[in-house]
């Protein structure tokens, strides 16, 4: 490759990154609007797919919104971080508590260039993720599973399992396997 071709690729990459950062910045500003309906409309304009009856509370942070899909009747708590640098699929009737962080990009600690490692995250229906829990790249959380507050999930979680700790380990199992509940309406000013 010629020097000018390499330079051109770097410039295009830099401009794309700046455009994405501006998009993320505007989405974060709009996350402070105290109206669920208006926020959902704005999020959808930026490419987030949000299902019927779902709510994203104020202060949510999104990385690359176009890869994020949120199912029906799902609640995303205040100050949640949802990473869309790869596909992030959140199912129906999912409750993400305050401060939950879901990442699908990380770094290879053994790579001499500290390169990014990107992997999708999938959260199945009826999952509850407690406050300040962290979900790392490549994880799937099975239907009806519960992630305890402050847990760091580094591996897949089986359906109906209850996990907690750092790193998260199975600490119990949900007894009810016939989940049919609705999460209800969102709070007005969250």
């Amino acid at each position: 490759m010629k020097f000018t071709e390499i330079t051109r690729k770097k410039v295009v990459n830099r401009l794309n990154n700046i455009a994405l950062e501006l998009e993320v910045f505007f989405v974060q500003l709009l996350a402070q609007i105290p109206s669920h309906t208006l926020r959902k409309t704005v999020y959808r304009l930026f490419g987030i797919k949000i299902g019927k009856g779902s709510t994203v509370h104020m202060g949510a942070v999104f990385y690359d919104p176009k890869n994020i899909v949120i199912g029906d009747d799902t609640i995303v708590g205040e100050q949640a971080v949802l990473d869309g640098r790869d596909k992030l699929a959140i199912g129906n009737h999912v409750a993400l508590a305050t401060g939950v962080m879901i990442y699908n990009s990380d770094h290879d600690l053994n790579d001499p260039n500290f390169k990014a490692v990107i992997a999708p995250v999938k959260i199945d229906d009826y999952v509850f993720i407690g406050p300040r829990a962290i979900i790392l790249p490549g994880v799937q959380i099975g239907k009806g599973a519960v992630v305890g507050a402050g847990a760091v999930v580094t591996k897949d979680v089986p359906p109906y399992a209850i996990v907690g700790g750092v790193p998260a380990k199975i600490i119990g199992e949900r007894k009810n396997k016939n989940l049919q509940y609705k999460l209800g309406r969102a709070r007005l000013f969250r």
Side-chain angles (χ1 to χ4, degrees):
M1 273 192 235
K2 291 181 174 179
F3 177 76
T4 56
E5 188 176 331
I6 293 170
T7 303
R8 185 190 64 77
K9 284 185 179 185
K10 284 183 177 181
V11 168
V12 168
N13 186 45
R14 178 65 56 114
L15 291 174
N16 285 336
N17 284 331
I18 290 169
L20 179 58
E21 288 299 318
L22 282 171
E23 179 180 342
V24 168
F25 173 72
F26 285 122
V27 171
Q28 283 179 252
L29 282 178
L30 298 169
Q32 303 307 319
I33 298 170
S35 164
H36 292 291
T37 305
L38 189 53
R39 277 197 313 272
K40 277 199 315 192
T41 301
V42 169
Y43 292 153
R44 286 177 174 144
L45 288 173
F46 280 96
I48 300 170
K49 292 165 190 65
I50 302 175
K52 180 180 174 192
S54 290
T55 300
V56 179
H57 289 286
M58 290 175 58
V61 175
F62 300 94
Y63 302 145
D64 209 349
K66 71 182 180 300
N67 291 320
I68 299 171
V69 177
I70 299 170
D72 296 338
D73 184 45
T74 289
I75 295 178
V76 177
E78 298 95 346
Q79 308 304 316
V81 175
L82 303 181
D83 189 346
R85 290 176 282 186
D86 198 332
K87 186 173 182 181
L88 171 55
I90 300 171
N92 302 318
H93 316 289
V94 173
L96 304 180
T98 299
V100 167
M101 294 178 272
I102 303 172
Y103 294 103
N104 54 31
S105 183
D106 202 351
H107 290 278
D108 181 348
L109 300 177
N110 296 314
D111 182 85
N113 296 315
F114 201 53
K115 76 173 183 173
V117 177
I118 298 172
V121 172
K122 184 170 190 245
I123 299 171
D124 291 335
D125 298 343
Y126 294 103
V127 168
F128 171 72
I129 301 178
R132 304 259 181 237
I134 301 171
I135 313 301
L136 294 179
V139 167
Q140 178 170 354
I141 300 178
K143 180 179 180 179
V146 175
V147 176
V152 177
V153 182
T154 60
K155 298 179 198 171
D156 290 353
V157 176
Y160 306 103
I162 300 171
V163 300
V166 179
K169 297 188 182 333
I170 295 175
I171 58 174
E173 183 177 335
R174 215 166 176 183
K175 303 295 182 230
N176 181 6
K177 309 276 195 286
N178 186 24
L179 303 173
Q180 298 179 15
Y181 56 80
K182 301 275 187 220
L183 292 173
R185 70 177 192 84
R187 302 289 180 239
L188 286 176
F189 296 104
R190 284 191 178 173

